[in-house]
């Protein structure tokens, strides 16, 4: 069987098998479209049926999480941990607490995590987890009780050399603290079991900033490849969480102007550039909706709806909110707005139609598994510091992050040039570079 036949057979198998898991099926198709030349070069991957094995997680743990609200009423949520692939290291990937969490979304995120982690060059495999629990509107005590119940079950399946979770949407330093506290209560002090910890017990400087900063460092490489620089660029950013805030901070620190941020209700446009201190105060300290920013900032306007529908003159777009946030109409508007570069801060923020629209218009797209790998990279650096019982300075970690993002860009562009003859095809390049390392490890380990 040649590569084309094998991949076609695999696509048909997936279409039938994962019909009820749309996000997972989407990422499988996006991935397989890129890697055909690798299978042409390596028929041994076909012989080993590597792709069909790779698409099935090594295990999925599904469990209930009972907890008590402040009124004394018993509540329950569903939780998962997808331990996808450990060929190059222990499972590594965040926990997401959000009402939309389901098995399809976590499998898509876990599959992406395999190759993102591979690209970092660090010895970490791919995993993801979370629950349909919604932290919004919950008291600190309710969140603590939920996290303790969640970890009481999860702790049976994780460990510093087995599976190392981190934060994601809905899981910040507060949640990580409660989760780690329960793990420690049951297992003793092992601070390498979870990353994104506060600095007082093993967290890493620059971890909070890492995903957003990394997406900007990746953008710098994209701009440099076209003979441009970030200074003076006008940037639209979606989201107002950790990734969006620190992408905006680093971009403006380097001389760009960030004009937008958003949340699930609406978005703001600030022609004077986002006031980072006010944004942090509204979102991190007060945990308010983004509308409050506009109420306190005279130069800002608030709009209900989706930021991608807004007509605004910009050079760069950085989607930093959630998966499939940008549809074809949003991509068409981005092209009209003058966007020439996209650096994805969120996981799979563009659906296929949006991606195709941007590529057809000549927009240079930095895919999430490369552009937003900074977070997991610094998580792995946190693991290293925990293992060595030491702490690096902010500048040391930030420099390592820049080096990792530069190396990821070089891996992606080199693979793209080798296999597609187009060094700017970073989507294919990132898929191929990430996959190649994992494939070699899997093949050398046998049928695992």
């Amino acid at each position: 069987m040649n590569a084309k036949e094998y991949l076609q057979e695999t696509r048909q198998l997936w279409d039938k098998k994962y019909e009820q898991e749309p996000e997972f099926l989407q990422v499988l198709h996006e991935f397989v479209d890129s890697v055909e030349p690798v299978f042409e070069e390596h028929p041994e991957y076909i012989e080993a049926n590597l792709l069909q094995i790779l698409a099935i997680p090594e295990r999925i743990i599904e469990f209930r999480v009972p907890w008590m609200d402040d009124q004394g009423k018993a509540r329950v949520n569903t939780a998962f941990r997808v331990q996808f692939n450990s060929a190059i290291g222990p499972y590594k990937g965040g926990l997401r607490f959000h009402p939309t969490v389901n098995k399809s979304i976590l499998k898509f995120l876990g599959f992406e995590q395999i190759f993102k982690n591979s690209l970092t060059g660090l010895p970490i495999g791919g995993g993801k987890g979370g629950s349909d629990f919604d932290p919004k509107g919950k008291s600190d005590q309710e969140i603590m009780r939920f996290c303790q119940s969640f970890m009481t079950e999860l702790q049976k399946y994780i460990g510093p050399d087995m599976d190392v979770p981190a934060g994601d949407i809905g899981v910040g330093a507060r949640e990580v603290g409660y989760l780690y506290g329960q793990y420690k209560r049951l297992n003793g002090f092992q601070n390498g079991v979870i990353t994104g910890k506060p600095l007082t017990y093993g967290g890493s400087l620059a971890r909070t900033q890492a995903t957003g900063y990394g997406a900007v460092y990746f953008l710098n490489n994209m701009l440099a490849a076209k003979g441009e620089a970030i200074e003076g660029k006008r940037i639209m950013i979606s989201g107002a969480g950790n990734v969006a805030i620190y992408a905006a901070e680093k971009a403006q620190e380097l001389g760009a102007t960030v004009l937008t941020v958003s949340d699930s209700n609406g978005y703001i446009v600030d022609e004077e550039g986002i006031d980072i201190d006010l944004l942090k105060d509204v979102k991190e300290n007060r945990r308010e909706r983004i509308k409050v920013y506009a109420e306190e900032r005279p130069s800002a306007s608030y709009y209900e709806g989706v930021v991608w529908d807004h007509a605004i003159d910009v050079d760069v777009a950085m989607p930093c909110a959630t998966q499939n946030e940008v549809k074809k109409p949003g991509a068409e508007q981005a092209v009209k707005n003058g966007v020439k570069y996209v650096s994805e801060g969120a996981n799979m923020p563009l659906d296929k139609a949006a991606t195709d629209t941007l590529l057809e218009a000549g927009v240079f797209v930095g895919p999430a598994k490369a552009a937003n790998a900074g977070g997991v990279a610094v998580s792995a650096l946190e693991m290293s510091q925990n293992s060595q019982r030491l702490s690096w300075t902010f500048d040391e970690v930030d420099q390592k992050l820049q080096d990792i993002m530069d190396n990821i860009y070089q891996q992606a562009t080199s693979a793209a040039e080798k296999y597609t003859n187009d060094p700017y095809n970073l989507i294919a390049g990132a898929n191929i570079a990430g996959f190649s390392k994992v494939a070699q490890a899997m093949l050398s380990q046998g049928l695992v």
Side-chain angles (χ1 to χ4, degrees), residues 8-23:
Q8 182 60 29
E9 174 189 273
T10 300
R11 287 188 187 93
Q12 291 172 353
L13 173 70
W14 288 344
D15 285 341
K16 183 179 295 186
K17 189 172 185 177
Y18 303 120
E19 182 181 6
Q20 303 303 316
E21 299 180 13
E23 295 86 2

Side-chain angles (χ1 to χ4, degrees), residues 182-318:
Q182 185 69 358
Y183 184 91
K184 181 169 68 72
R185 185 174 293 114
L186 297 170
N187 297 279
F189 187 85
Q190 300 177 49
N191 66 355
V193 74
I194 191 166
T195 57
K197 299 181 294 296
L199 297 174
T200 49
Y201 49 92
S204 174
L205 290 162
R207 174 60 190 92
T208 302
Q209 297 85 351
T211 308
Y213 278 22
V216 174
Y217 295 147
F218 194 84
L219 172 65
N220 276 341
N221 279 281
M222 296 170 66
L223 289 161
K226 298 278 190 174
E228 297 192 55
I230 194 170
E231 188 174 3
K233 293 290 187 289
R234 289 166 59 88
I235 300 178
M236 63 185 300
I237 288 178
S238 65
N242 186 64
V243 181
I245 289 171
Y246 290 100
E249 179 176 84
K250 178 55 66 174
Q252 294 198 154
E253 182 183 306
L254 296 177
T257 301
V258 176
L259 301 160
T260 69
V261 288
S262 66
D263 62 19
S264 56
N265 290 348
Y267 60 96
I268 58 170
V269 177
D270 190 340
E271 280 291 341
E272 291 187 4
I274 297 299
D275 182 329
I276 301 298
D277 289 338
L278 176 57
L279 179 61
K280 288 181 181 178
D281 184 45
V282 169
K283 297 304 295 182
E284 294 183 340
N285 298 332
R286 291 186 269 164
R287 300 180 187 272
E288 298 277 6
R289 306 305 291 168
I290 199 66
K291 184 177 183 179
V292 173
Y293 175 101
E295 292 170 352
E296 300 181 15
R297 173 84 163 165
S299 59
S301 299
Y302 174 78
Y303 303 87
E304 292 187 351
V306 180
V307 67
W308 302 108
D309 296 335
H310 193 84
I312 184 171
D313 179 23
V314 289
D315 309 291
V316 176
M318 298 185 71

Side-chain angles (χ1 to χ4, degrees), residues 48-156:
N49 197 14
L50 204 60
L51 197 54
Q52 292 178 26
I53 292 173
L54 180 65
I56 299 175
E58 292 174 14
R59 70 187 58 81
I60 301 176
I61 299 106
E62 180 175 356
F63 55 99
R64 68 186 182 199
V65 185
W67 57 281
M68 196 76 72
D69 69 18
D70 287 342
Q71 286 69 48
K73 183 176 180 179
R75 305 281 187 177
V76 66
N77 289 90
T78 304
F80 305 89
R81 184 65 179 174
V82 179
Q83 296 179 331
F84 222 120
N85 190 284
S86 59
I88 60 175
Y91 310 105
K92 185 82 190 79
L95 298 170
R96 176 175 294 193
F97 293 169
H98 194 272
T100 61
V101 164
N102 58 39
K103 196 180 297 185
S104 174
I105 287 174
L106 293 179
K107 286 173 69 177
F108 126 63
L109 292 167
F111 187 77
E112 285 277 276
Q113 199 77 45
I114 299 168
F115 311 111
K116 182 190 303 184
N117 293 359
S118 171
L119 285 168
T120 69
L122 301 166
I124 44 177
K128 207 73 178 182
S131 172
D132 57 5
F133 173 78
D134 188 358
K136 288 181 182 176
K138 306 293 193 302
S139 71
D140 286 350
Q141 291 299 306
E142 287 174 325
I143 289 171
M144 181 181 72
R145 288 192 290 271
F146 174 83
C147 288
Q148 289 174 341
S149 180
F150 179 94
M151 184 54 79
T152 297
E153 182 64 22
L154 184 65
Q155 57 91 23
K156 302 171 186 175

Side-chain angles (χ1 to χ4, degrees), residues 119-120 213-214 216-222 224 370-371 373-374 398-414 426:
L119 285 168
T120 69
Y213 278 22
V216 174
Y217 295 147
F218 194 84
L219 172 65
N220 276 341
N221 279 281
M222 296 170 66
D398 191 38
Q399 185 58 59
K400 292 177 189 294
L401 171 62
Q402 290 184 57
D403 293 343
I404 289 169
M405 298 311 297
D406 292 348
N407 183 54
I408 289 172
Y409 182 85
Q410 292 305 318
Q411 289 181 70
T413 195
S414 295
L426 297 181

